[in-house]
Amino acid sequence: MLAMKILRVSGGRPLFGELVVSGSKNAALPILAATLLIRGTVELIGLPEIRDVSAMLHLLSLRGVRVEHLERGRYRLNAEEASPSSVAFPEDGGLRGSIYLLGAGLAAHRRSAVGLPGGCDFGERPHDLHCYALRAFGAKVLEREKGLYAEARSLVGGEIRLSYPSVGATVNAILAATLAKGRSVIYGAAREPHVMDLISFLNRSGARIKVLEQGTVAVSGVERLAPLSYRVMPDMIEAGSYLLMAAATRGEIHLRRAPEGQLSSLLPLLSESGCRVWEIGSDEIALEMRDRPKPISVTTEPYPGFPTDLHPQLSAYLALCLGESRIREMVFRDRFRYLMGLSAFGANVTREGREARIVGRERLFGARVTAPDLRAAAAYLTAAMAAEGESLILSAELLLRGYEAPLRKLRRLGAVISDADVECGALPQADRRAARGSE
Ligand code: UD1
């Protein structure tokens, strides 16, 4: 039976204190998929203990990968007994990142399948670029109702020109190119830090991948990759989420192990809106906020633009701004499902085409909301902690897909949050939710 997590939040308390940023979800998932390419044991350090990582480990074990949990954040994986598979597991559908197993399995075994990827529901999430990229290596890729199937006698490097810098398609192209014959050049590649982390993981294992210029990646195929130990980089979205939560509650936060240089689109916006932000050394960021934010306008874009994964949380922070703010969403057309819940806190947020228009209120009030996806859940928590009174957040287990120990971290900063797990069957019909996918 599925369990739903319900949070009870007593708002109106500034967050205050220090927090260590966990490993990056969006780097961990492609790196985990890439372990299929490696002969021998891989040790990963700093993996975030989140549900999406557990889900990916499960999908790898279904494919024959041996997974050992050594200690918190530390795992040993060995894919030597993983077998070529044409089976698309239904479990794949619960995790968007499972699509990386298509390219990884194809590279490792020349044959792979994934159950149709799920994902947070913010509009159509096509896979045409993934299929195009793998076909460019000579693979036959079939799109069926139940899944995607790829097969190739051999993979041959070539030119891949992505019409949009899709993170997922770039990852699949890099994975296929790593063990393909000859040289590949990927034009229009995604530049996200998590793509760079995958590249540095693969290169440490013996791959020959070079970023020629921003958006162009050259890969000289190698025959095999060697065992390695690797630390996953810190999570820029987690870091950004906590900065926004601290700012919304008019508190003070000091992040340790913050991602170096990756928040260059968020930090200036925070300063512009009136926060005092300062960096200490290369991996510490501090923020202090005392007032209502000044209004700002921002557009979400592929990296180095403002990340779509911080859009709902930024909206929650701006719900208290002195004037009118706008967030233009240019990555996922329908990433606005958070709006209704945010209005329940008293926020004046409306959608105009691809834009969220936010007219700031002096205060927000406690509300009862149901989270529709991972980052919306983080936005509701932001609003609940900034609001006066008590809030209930249903479907808050979605947070655990992407945030490591969020309640423990927030309670240490002074948040007053209690949680309860309730069997979905015990809830009213309206609150029952099927198993959901994630980003
Ligand atoms: C996206 C984010 C990524 C984040 C991840 C998890 C961007 C550019 N990507 O990656 O940073 O880590 O969510 O939240 O911000 N698209 C196609 N065809 C395809 C694939 C994608 O048209 O085959 C389109 C999508 O509809 C979307 C855009 O490309 O509009 C971005 O998609 P993509 O980067 O592939 O998404 P994710 O890999 O999920």
Side-chain angles (χ1 to χ4, degrees):
M1 180 77 75
L2 279 172
M4 176 196 274
K5 189 174 279 302
I6 300 181
L7 301 184
R8 186 180 293 275
V9 183
S10 281
R13 293 172 169 80
L15 295 181
F16 185 89
E18 280 186 12
L19 183 147
V20 179
V21 179
S22 297
S24 162
K25 166 174 97 67
N26 292 336
L29 298 180
I31 287 174
L32 281 169
T35 62
L36 272 179
L37 276 62
I38 295 170
R39 289 192 205 160
T41 300
V42 178
E43 192 169 313
L44 292 174
I45 306 157
L47 273 184
E49 300 282 355
I50 54 175
R51 289 192 180 176
D52 274 12
V53 162
S54 311
M56 183 59 106
L57 290 168
H58 178 61
L59 300 183
L60 286 168
S61 63
L62 287 176
R63 288 164 168 82
V65 176
R66 262 192 292 125
V67 177
E68 263 179 278
H69 190 187
L70 303 175
E71 60 184 36
R72 190 170 186 81
R74 198 177 189 112
Y75 288 79
R76 202 176 276 152
L77 292 96
N78 188 308
E80 277 168 321
E81 282 162 29
S83 44
S85 168
S86 309
V87 179
F89 295 96
E91 289 91 333
D92 297 343
L95 179 73
R96 173 74 185 174
S98 63
I99 201 162
Y100 303 142
L101 297 171
L102 192 67
L106 183 69
H109 307 297
R110 304 293 184 256
R111 198 163 82 200
S112 65
V114 289
L116 261 190
C120 282
D121 184 7
F122 25 78
E124 202 194 344
R125 299 187 78 170
H127 38 252
D128 55 309
L129 295 173
H130 299 258
C131 299
Y132 154 74
L134 297 181
R135 286 179 184 130
F137 294 94
K140 192 165 132 196
V141 184
L142 297 176
E143 302 169 63
R144 294 282 179 261
E145 202 185 321
K146 287 211 172 128
L148 300 173
Y149 302 81
E151 203 175 357
R153 218 174 259 147
S154 68
L155 293 174
V156 183
E159 279 191 6
I160 293 103
R161 293 181 183 274
L162 295 176
S163 54
Y164 184 91
S166 151
V167 169
T170 302
V171 166
N172 267 328
I174 289 173
L175 292 172
T178 294
L179 296 185
K181 284 196 189 117
R183 186 167 188 265
S184 307
V185 183
I186 307 163
Y187 297 96
R191 299 154 60 179
E192 266 70 1
H194 27 289
V195 175
M196 298 306 131
D197 209 33
L198 170 71
I199 291 176
S200 85
F201 168 81
L202 288 167
N203 281 341
R204 285 269 307 279
S205 179
R208 292 172 57 204
I209 309 172
K210 264 194 190 151
V211 178
L212 295 184
E213 56 186 87
Q214 296 301 347
T216 306
V217 177
V219 185
S220 295
V222 295
E223 291 216 340
R224 62 175 58 83
L225 297 178
L228 78 160
S229 169
Y230 191 81
R231 178 180 279 281
V232 173
M233 69 173 198
D235 194 311
M236 67 170 185
I237 303 300
E238 189 205 23
S241 301
Y242 287 120
L243 287 172
L244 287 163
M245 288 177 190
T249 61
R250 290 175 217 171
E252 201 174 321
I253 195 170
H254 184 147
L255 298 182
R256 293 195 185 281
R257 207 173 172 252
E260 210 178 320
Q262 292 173 24
L263 289 167
S264 54
S265 62
L266 174 68
L267 300 185
L269 283 177
L270 287 168
S271 300
E272 189 188 331
S273 70
C275 297
R276 198 163 87 81
V277 184
W278 64 107
E279 292 177 76
I280 308 156
S282 61
D283 66 351
E284 292 185 27
I285 299 172
L287 172 145
E288 184 189 344
M289 181 58 161
R290 294 281 169 256
D291 308 305
R292 286 177 65 191
K294 294 181 199 129
I296 52 176
S297 288
V298 60
T299 300
T300 70
E301 283 167 312
Y303 192 83
F306 186 83
T308 178
D309 283 351
L310 285 175
H311 165 169
Q313 303 91 309
L314 180 67
S315 199
Y317 163 62
L318 293 174
L320 290 156
C321 74
L322 277 159
E324 185 182 312
S325 294
R326 285 183 180 258
I327 305 177
R328 192 166 170 73
E329 175 58 55
M330 293 309 287
V331 179
F332 293 114
R333 181 184 295 276
D334 290 319
R335 191 169 209 160
F336 292 95
R337 293 178 67 218
Y338 73 90
L339 284 181
M340 201 178 10
L342 205 52
S343 307
F345 292 94
N348 182 353
V349 284
T350 44
R351 178 179 181 175
E352 287 174 8
R354 290 196 85 140
E355 265 187 9
R357 175 172 174 265
I358 307 151
V359 180
R361 297 273 204 219
E362 200 181 332
R363 44 178 76 93
L364 299 178
F365 300 97
R368 180 185 192 276
V369 289
T370 302
D373 61 63
L374 163 60
R375 305 303 173 187
Y380 293 171
L381 192 48
T382 307
M385 290 189 296
E388 286 177 12
E390 197 169 272
S391 296
L392 278 185
I393 304 176
L394 284 74
S395 291
E397 72 283 358
L398 284 166
L399 276 175
L400 306 180
R401 289 184 170 266
Y403 293 91
E404 182 175 75
L407 303 187
R408 178 166 55 79
K409 288 188 176 187
L410 286 168
R411 285 175 187 139
R412 276 203 198 136
L413 296 174
V416 178
I417 307 175
S418 60
D419 64 312
D421 292 318
V422 182
E423 293 301 340
C424 287
L427 291 162
Q429 185 71 30
D431 292 334
R432 284 185 212 163
R433 299 179 64 89
R436 280 148 304 223
S438 112
E439 290 176 346

